Amino acid sequence: MQSYCNSLTRYSRLDTLEVRIGDLILGNHHPVRIQTMTTTDTMDTVATVEQSIRCIEAGAELVRITAPSRKEAENLLNIRNELRRRGYSTPLVADIHFTPNAAEIAARIVEKVRINPGNYIDKKKFDFIEYTDAEYNEEIDRIRQRFTPLVKICKEYGTAMRIGTNHGSLSDRIMSRYGDTPIGMVESAMEFLRVARDESYHNIVLSMKSSNPQVMVQAYRLLVRQMKDEFGACYPLHLGVTEAGDGEDGRIKSAIGIGTLLEDGIGDTIRVSLTEDPEFEIPVCKDLVKRYERREAAVILPIEKIPYSPFEYRRRPTRAVSNIGDQHVPVVVADLADWGAIGREDLQAIGYSYDPEADKWNIGDAAADYLYTGSTLVPFDLPGTLKVILEQEAWQKAGDRRKYLPLYTAGEYLEMRVPGDNPHFVMLDAASPVVGQVFDKLATDGQAVLCLRTSSPWAMMSVRACMATAMNLGIRNPVILMVESTEGTIDGQLIHFSTDAGALFLEGMGDGIWLRNDPDALVNKKISGRTYLPAGNMRQFLNNTSFSILQATRTRISKTEYISCPSCGRTLFDLQETTAKIRAVTHHLKGVKIAIMGCIVNGPGEMADADFGYVGSGPGKITLYKGKEIVKRGVDSAIALEELINLLKENEAWVDESN
Ligand code: SF4
């Protein structure tokens, strides 16, 4: 079943063909290349050149520029010449949607063109059309006729190409046969790839982007399998999560999608698309890539039988222990063990705020489910269903069995003759030699929850292998995944947590999350020049990161989901400012997905499964969507936010914040 990577337990880069983009070589085990995309108007040569230079100076090895029509495609020549005149030889990529004639011009100027197979030839009408086989084949012939000229130009000029599929902008033809699915995304690219190969053109990179990391990871894996089956070789892969948003959420979503694939050796170039200035994307790319620069082959035994499908999400079947496992959403454990005495005010950072006058707790949507306090007792009544996990020795003395639950080390657990009748936790190192003995005992222990960490430097693979063993043995105890980070930056920790935990959640393996770090390493550190973490607020950082990882893997929804495009030369309003304004008034709408898209050309197609869309449709004009349907057209941008709120209210998606 597994044929999408070299190994599930040993880091090994996937073999891919070599592609030349100007002087840059990509694929075939060359370093993973870092790239970004400008957000300036392509007709503004100076602004585009200067932004490109900022990206290049930050470390971009490729710079993509939008070319929505012939005139922008032609202006790429001025941009390219000016960059070369200033001494920058970084390859440029023209980003094309809908306009083959712009692509054919750009392919003669820049080193690479990106086309979207969902809209290069097809004009999307969002119609469901039943195609007979003959009609379907006629459409494929039409692709061949329209696409072959571009392939020939690329061959003649030595220009590379990316066939970049986006979930949400698949053609009506693909949608009608495959639906909006990962396999539909793969087929969308393969239709174009087959035409290019028939012309003996191989200077090709592929991508399968989605704003949903689950869909994105499955699509890349399926694409690798398809290419291996059909051609016996793989073209290089460009990884990215589209419309990831900004700040921590954007970084977490990107790290989960991109990092999960990099862990398995998949990916030859990456772009982290954030709704921020493009040069701020580069440090995040660097942090992602550097994790694999010196990664040697892991010493983890191979998984003999893969007990899950890497191509579809299915949560590992478990029995419930209290509110953990089975149908319960994954729980969040807040680790307060290193913080000494605990007061009511300490719980504010993990979602519980206490009103002393009313003697009442307010519980937020992102409130942790368990506290781990080491051996420290909590000297007040706990809010809601919150419980405290204590080291077993402290638990023996604590008395209150409803408030406190014990955590056993693997050694303590193996020494116990009869495990208790109440919920208890067992901490296990996935790399430990006692894993087999602990599993033997867990098999008959209906009240044990496993807390799985690892001392292996190949953390994700080590835990994955351990989980696969548990699944093959039929162990049904819930598992809380613990990730410990000693990275020295906030971005570094976000990426570490997101990759190691996120990859496993995407494979259906977690019933809870428990993050630990070294607090002193991070306080007052900055991301992209902005302070994200006030002194002493480490608990909030870990709690938010836990909930964001669960949200991004779509395993527990606790907040509003924003799908905001990174902006480009087509953008019709200030995306960063508008996203911030929309977020400020809608951040409390748990589970509602709001897309904020810069243009009506690509926005509606790319907002995927958003519930509501706020889309630029002309200078100073916004069009509002419910799903894929236009509900308010050409709204004056001065009142568009108010109209969005009205739309949310009309559709019962709005609640007042105080509720
Ligand atoms: S949706 Fe955003 S990033 Fe995509 S083309 Fe439009 S403005 Fe550019």
Side-chain angles (χ1 to χ4, degrees):
M1 181 206 292
Q2 174 268 327
S3 57
Y4 71 89
C5 64
N6 293 342
S7 169
L8 293 173
T9 53
R10 180 176 52 81
Y11 177 71
S12 164
R13 283 279 297 279
L14 184 74
D15 293 329
T16 53
L17 302 176
E18 192 165 289
V19 162
R20 179 174 284 277
I21 307 164
D23 293 334
L24 188 79
I25 300 178
L26 188 149
N28 189 20
H29 300 266
H30 285 282
V32 177
R33 307 297 185 186
I34 287 170
Q35 57 174 297
T36 184
M37 182 169 177
T38 56
T39 57
T40 47
D41 178 352
T42 308
M43 293 310 291
D44 187 339
T45 306
V46 173
T48 305
V49 165
E50 285 177 354
Q51 192 177 58
S52 300
I53 291 173
R54 286 197 294 280
C55 296
I56 295 165
E57 298 283 344
E61 296 171 280
L62 282 153
V63 175
R64 185 155 47 111
I65 300 169
T66 189
S69 71
R70 297 177 64 114
K71 68 179 190 332
E72 286 88 356
E74 280 158 4
N75 200 48
L76 291 172
L77 184 61
N78 295 327
I79 293 167
R80 185 173 185 272
N81 288 345
E82 182 58 18
L83 276 167
R84 302 294 176 259
R85 197 184 64 75
R86 297 197 197 186
Y88 295 92
S89 59
T90 306
L92 300 180
V93 187
D95 195 60
I96 306 288
H97 294 269
F98 295 105
T99 44
N101 53 7
E104 289 166 17
I105 294 166
R108 294 176 166 97
I109 300 171
V110 291
E111 288 79 4
K112 183 174 167 197
V113 286
R114 176 269 166 125
I115 60 141
N116 178 342
N119 61 29
Y120 187 71
I121 287 148
D122 297 289
K123 299 284 173 274
K124 195 162 174 59
K125 302 186 201 78
F126 299 107
D127 279 348
F128 182 84
I129 305 160
E130 283 280 4
Y131 290 87
T132 63
D133 283 352
E135 286 164 341
Y136 203 93
N137 290 337
E138 261 174 46
E139 294 263 313
I140 303 289
D141 282 344
R142 203 164 57 82
I143 289 175
R144 185 175 298 278
Q145 279 168 24
R146 201 64 195 88
F147 179 51
T148 303
L150 177 65
V151 172
K152 289 196 159 132
I153 295 167
C154 287
K155 261 185 94 173
E156 184 187 342
Y157 284 77
T159 309
M161 182 190 294
R162 170 158 65 98
I163 302 174
T165 304
N166 277 6
H167 180 231
S169 67
L170 299 177
S171 66
D172 290 332
R173 179 185 61 265
I174 290 285
M175 289 285 284
S176 62
R177 190 153 286 193
Y178 300 92
D180 200 6
T181 59
I183 194 73
M185 294 169 69
V186 171
E187 187 52 27
S188 170
M190 292 299 287
E191 289 178 350
F192 282 69
L193 184 54
R194 290 180 195 119
V195 173
R197 282 175 57 89
D198 287 349
E199 296 296 319
S200 303
Y201 173 68
H202 301 286
N203 219 19
I204 296 173
V205 180
L206 293 117
S207 62
M208 298 276 118
K209 297 193 184 181
S210 167
S211 63
N212 176 344
Q214 221 172 64
V215 170
M216 175 258 190
V217 167
Q218 289 165 9
Y220 278 98
R221 289 175 173 176
L222 285 164
L223 175 66
V224 171
R225 187 174 71 171
Q226 182 68 32
M227 287 194 287
K228 280 186 176 182
D229 287 352
E230 200 169 323
F231 313 133
C234 289
Y235 288 84
L237 295 169
H238 162 130
L239 307 185
V241 175
T242 49
E243 284 82 39
D246 58 358
E248 284 130 336
D249 283 346
R251 285 162 172 77
I252 287 170
K253 248 192 198 181
S254 296
I256 290 174
I258 297 170
T260 295
L261 292 159
L262 290 176
E263 284 284 321
D264 283 333
I266 296 173
D268 300 285
T269 175
I270 65 169
R271 187 225 172 165
V272 169
S273 48
L274 300 175
T275 309
E276 298 178 17
D277 291 342
E279 58 268 34
F280 295 142
E281 297 176 354
I282 304 300
V284 189
C285 291
K286 285 184 174 171
D287 277 337
L288 268 163
V289 168
K290 83 169 181 230
R291 286 169 57 82
Y292 307 95
E293 274 165 4
R294 278 184 294 281
R295 188 167 286 210
E296 289 151 22
V299 198
I300 300 166
L301 289 179
I303 299 170
E304 298 292 341
K305 180 174 153 251
I306 302 162
Y308 64 95
S309 168
F311 306 113
E312 60 186 335
Y313 177 78
R314 228 180 120 239
R315 188 166 167 192
R316 169 183 161 254
T318 53
R319 60 172 160 250
V321 176
S322 184
N323 62 343
I324 312 176
D326 194 24
Q327 301 300 316
H328 297 286
V329 292
V331 294
V332 171
V333 179
D335 194 323
L336 307 190
D338 297 332
W339 292 81
I342 295 162
R344 288 187 176 91
E345 65 287 355
D346 291 309
L347 302 199
Q348 177 125 18
I350 58 161
Y352 299 90
S353 51
Y354 181 65
D355 176 351
E357 275 174 28
D359 188 24
K360 253 184 77 181
W361 288 94
N362 291 316
I363 304 177
D365 286 329
D369 305 284
Y370 289 86
L371 299 180
Y372 172 67
T373 61
S375 56
T376 307
L377 299 185
V378 178
F380 51 86
D381 287 340
L382 293 171
T385 56
L386 185 65
K387 290 200 166 29
V388 180
I389 303 170
L390 281 177
E391 286 168 4
Q392 71 86 21
E393 258 185 47
W395 173 78
Q396 299 283 1
K397 296 176 199 147
D400 187 342
R401 296 293 188 247
R402 277 168 311 166
K403 181 173 177 180
Y404 297 107
L405 299 167
L407 173 71
Y408 297 93
T409 62
E412 289 166 346
Y413 182 63
L414 290 174
E415 276 170 19
M416 281 169 65
R417 246 182 289 144
V418 187
D421 291 339
N422 291 321
H424 46 273
F425 296 80
V426 181
M427 182 65 75
L428 178 65
D429 179 347
S432 139
V434 298
V435 165
Q437 292 170 59
V438 170
F439 283 169
D440 285 347
K441 192 152 184 170
L442 286 175
T444 54
D445 183 353
Q447 289 298 315
V449 176
L450 189 63
C451 301
L452 196 57
R453 58 177 290 277
T454 183
S455 55
S456 165
W458 306 280
M460 195 283 282
M461 288 183 161
S462 160
V463 175
R464 173 198 267 167
C466 188
M467 291 296 296
T469 306
M471 290 167 89
N472 285 331
L473 289 171
I475 305 294
R476 294 174 70 93
N477 302 69
V479 173
I480 293 174
L481 301 172
M482 179 194 251
V483 182
E484 297 150 285
S485 182
T486 53
E487 294 284 341
T489 64
I490 296 171
D491 269 10
Q493 292 208 353
L494 278 179
I495 287 167
H496 182 176
F497 289 137
S498 304
T499 303
D500 282 6
L504 296 162
F505 278 107
L506 289 185
E507 293 185 341
M509 289 178 175
D511 303 291
I513 183 166
W514 179 342
L515 304 182
R516 301 202 80 181
N517 67 356
D518 169 9
D520 295 335
L522 287 192
V523 170
N524 277 339
K525 289 280 170 71
K526 296 181 173 194
I527 299 177
S528 310
R530 287 185 283 158
T531 302
Y532 271 64
L533 202 62
N537 221 350
M538 189 58 56
R539 290 167 219 174
Q540 191 166 8
F541 166 69
L542 291 177
N543 197 61
N544 289 352
T545 304
S546 299
F547 277 97
S548 296
I549 289 172
L550 298 181
Q551 174 109 3
T553 53
R554 307 254 171 139
T555 51
R556 178 170 179 175
I557 303 299
S558 56
K559 52 188 172 181
T560 321
E561 174 106 6
Y562 297 97
I563 299 161
S564 60
C565 80
S567 88
C568 72
R570 291 181 190 266
T571 311
L572 290 159
F573 55 84
D574 184 329
L575 251 161
Q576 293 181 39
E577 193 192 321
T578 307
T579 303
K581 276 189 192 158
I582 292 176
R583 190 188 283 272
V585 294
T586 60
H587 64 99
H588 60 294
L589 304 178
K590 176 177 166 180
V592 179
K593 294 192 220 100
I594 301 175
I596 305 144
M597 310 300 282
C599 76
I600 201 146
V601 184
N602 292 331
E606 296 192 6
M607 58 200 191
D609 56 353
D611 302 314
F612 299 92
Y614 180 107
V615 180
S617 52
K621 296 288 176 212
I622 302 298
T623 291
L624 298 177
Y625 285 72
K626 178 170 181 268
K628 298 267 184 221
E629 187 194 331
I630 293 180
V631 282
K632 296 183 186 182
R633 205 185 286 272
V635 179
D636 191 323
S637 59
I639 57 159
L641 181 53
E642 215 177 299
E643 287 294 316
L644 174 66
I645 294 169
N646 289 339
L647 180 62
L648 292 163
K649 286 181 178 166
E650 284 156 23
N651 288 281
E652 293 174 9
W654 179 267
V655 286
D656 289 333
E657 201 169 351
S658 52
N659 282 357

